[in-house]
Amino acid sequence: MNPSPDWFGYLQALAKLGPPAHMATMIDHPTRDAGFGVYVHWPFCLAKCPYCDFNSHVRHAPVDQTRFIKAFRREIAHVAGLTPGRTVTSIFLGGGTPSLMDPATVGAVLDAVAGAWPSVPDVEVTLEANPTSVEAERFRGFRAAGVNRVSLGVQALNDADLRALGRMHSAEEALAAVAIARAAFERTSFDLIYARPGQTPGAWADELKAAIGRAAEHLSLYQLTVEPGTPFERLRAAGKLAVPDDDAARALYETTQEVCEAAGLPAYEISNHARPGAESRHNLLYWRYGEYAGIGPGAHGRLVTAAGRVATVTERGPESWLALVEGQGHGLVTEDLLSTGEEGDEFLLMGLRLKEGVDADRYAAFAGRSLDERRVQDLLGEGLIARRRGRRLAVTREGFPVLDAVVADLAA
Ligand SMILES: C[S@@+](CC[C@H](N)C(=O)[O-])C[C@H]1O[C@@H](n2cnc3c(N)ncnc32)[C@H](O)[C@@H]1O
Ligand code: SF4
């Protein structure tokens, strides 16, 4: 997954309009030790799920993967030119549905990354897969191409809810896909969506326990959000979709924490659970506010330049992205130098999602100012944040359901 436009939209609302380009002395930029990741976006799906607002498109004619390979190669080479001297710590092929890529396409992309930057010996290479596109042979091909971790979109383990979510697979097919993934890869994860219409804590606890029985080391558990512009939003507006209210969603969140903790899969991020040591390194890099290149249609990146951190976004439309890359060598349409205030806000927005929280000194290095001690004391007093080892501050279990408000308070 790539940090969604939503997070950045929210951030813009938070961000104060600070002074324009700041900073000259970014030599010891606090990003450096968090790693360097490469996100590659595959923007196609077999069908569009009615809740999803990711940059995903359905095409009825076959996608010209050879053309995409050439464009990925050119954009990777361009971004590598902006980021000399980096060593790649993780690669993430997200979507859309990257498991629809031919294994040869995945191999060509990974070869292009390897040609552009050196990698650490144990580089993590994740591919997102949809259970409708999982075949054992294909997965062996992804593995041979260099993928070493798979994240599967299971979403629910009962057929009625899968149909309500507009999914094209049954629970049995999803579990068969999980078994195929586990046979092919040492590291696997799967996603479930909860807070579905009519879901009770008891039913969710049972489903979650069944999921944990099949999960190896990592689970992403997302609360259903009704995104603007989606068919789910129109259904809700028409009174045809009733999602749990805040109290019901909170009860489901509590159930999630209790069941996962009891099973040895505690949350390390608001929606992500892992056995200790099995966390997604690529996602940790986003939340620890590391540096990452965003490649492919609609990908977001954060590049650290001599002038400061630059937020990049590529052209969103698959065909218009191809045309841009073929014309100018890359599809970047946004390259914004962030102000210190914006960097500090992003750092908080990302880092407070993590159970480990944020380092107050690192915040000060990004933001050019310390956290407001009075606000910190108030939030500590309310039990919404807690002090951790050293100078760290972390959101508590009570604070996570109101995370947005906590971030907004600290960033103000
Ligand atoms: C970009 S999708 C990639 C996975 C793959 N395309 C699939 O659906 O199987 C990443 C994940 O985001 C989650 N997701 C997408 N839209 C969501 C929404 N509106 N609310 C909660 N989770 C959502 C789903 O769990 C999904 O697996
Ligand atoms: S398959 Fe995944 S990316 Fe595609 S529309 Fe559905 S949830 Fe979104």
Side-chain angles (χ1 to χ4, degrees), residues 194-200 223-224 226 236 241-252:
Y194 71 100
R196 299 174 217 138
Q199 197 174 32
T200 62
Q223 269 192 32
L224 176 66
V226 177
R236 189 174 63 177
L241 179 78
V243 291
D245 63 18
D246 285 354
D247 288 344
R250 191 170 178 147
L252 291 161

Side-chain angles (χ1 to χ4, degrees), residues 193-393:
I193 294 179
Y194 71 100
R196 299 174 217 138
Q199 197 174 32
T200 62
W204 172 228
D206 291 344
E207 194 175 333
L208 193 48
K209 284 177 196 160
I212 289 169
R214 305 296 189 114
E217 54 164 33
H218 192 286
L219 275 178
S220 300
L221 305 170
Y222 299 112
Q223 269 192 32
L224 176 66
T225 45
V226 177
E227 302 288 355
T230 58
F232 264 27
E233 191 200 31
R234 290 190 285 281
L235 283 172
R236 189 174 63 177
K240 293 180 181 162
L241 179 78
V243 291
D245 63 18
D246 285 354
D247 288 344
R250 191 170 178 147
L252 291 161
Y253 168 81
E254 289 299 336
T255 300
T256 309
Q257 308 315 310
E258 281 157 22
V259 172
C260 288
E261 276 170 25
L265 279 164
Y268 65 99
E269 188 262 358
I270 186 165
S271 307
N272 282 275
H273 298 251
R275 301 202 187 284
E279 298 84 2
S280 158
R281 270 182 258 154
H282 187 82
N283 286 338
L284 276 178
L285 181 138
Y286 293 145
W287 298 317
R288 288 179 177 159
Y289 209 34
E291 184 181 26
Y292 54 97
I295 305 291
H300 289 253
R302 288 289 180 280
L303 304 179
V304 181
T305 70
R309 184 183 296 249
V310 175
T312 67
V313 189
T314 52
E315 166 58 35
R316 195 174 159 86
E319 290 75 20
S320 42
W321 174 81
L322 279 171
L324 260 189
V325 178
E326 287 164 357
Q328 64 177 27
H330 65 85
L332 294 171
V333 289
T334 300
E335 292 178 74
D336 284 347
L337 182 63
L338 300 178
S339 69
T340 41
E342 288 168 331
E343 277 200 279
D345 287 350
E346 283 200 346
F347 172 74
L348 282 184
L349 184 65
M350 293 300 199
L352 288 175
R353 299 175 65 93
L354 285 170
K355 192 175 177 189
E356 70 184 24
V358 296
D359 181 332
D361 291 336
R362 203 161 165 246
Y363 171 78
F366 277 121
R369 67 177 175 106
S370 297
L371 287 166
D372 182 333
E373 196 49 37
R374 193 181 46 81
R375 287 173 190 275
V376 169
Q377 287 303 335
D378 287 350
L379 290 168
L380 284 168
E382 290 171 69
L384 299 177
I385 61 171
R387 291 205 191 276
R388 297 271 184 267
R389 197 167 39 83
R391 298 251 305 136
R392 300 193 76 84
L393 284 175

Side-chain angles (χ1 to χ4, degrees), residues 133-223:
S133 62
V134 169
E135 304 147 33
E137 196 186 333
R138 207 177 170 74
F139 266 34
R140 281 195 287 273
F142 293 140
R143 193 194 164 114
V147 173
N148 55 30
R149 182 175 180 274
V150 159
S151 170
L152 270 165
V154 169
Q155 319 308 4
L157 284 181
N158 74 74
D159 289 343
D161 281 5
L162 284 169
R163 272 194 299 278
L165 289 170
R167 299 292 289 184
M168 292 168 71
H169 55 84
S170 65
E172 197 184 318
E173 282 163 342
L175 289 175
V178 170
I180 290 173
R182 287 189 66 177
F185 297 95
E186 211 169 295
R187 300 187 62 200
T188 57
S189 174
F190 63 84
D191 301 349
L192 293 175
I193 294 179
Y194 71 100
R196 299 174 217 138
Q199 197 174 32
T200 62
W204 172 228
D206 291 344
E207 194 175 333
L208 193 48
K209 284 177 196 160
I212 289 169
R214 305 296 189 114
E217 54 164 33
H218 192 286
L219 275 178
S220 300
L221 305 170
Y222 299 112
Q223 269 192 32

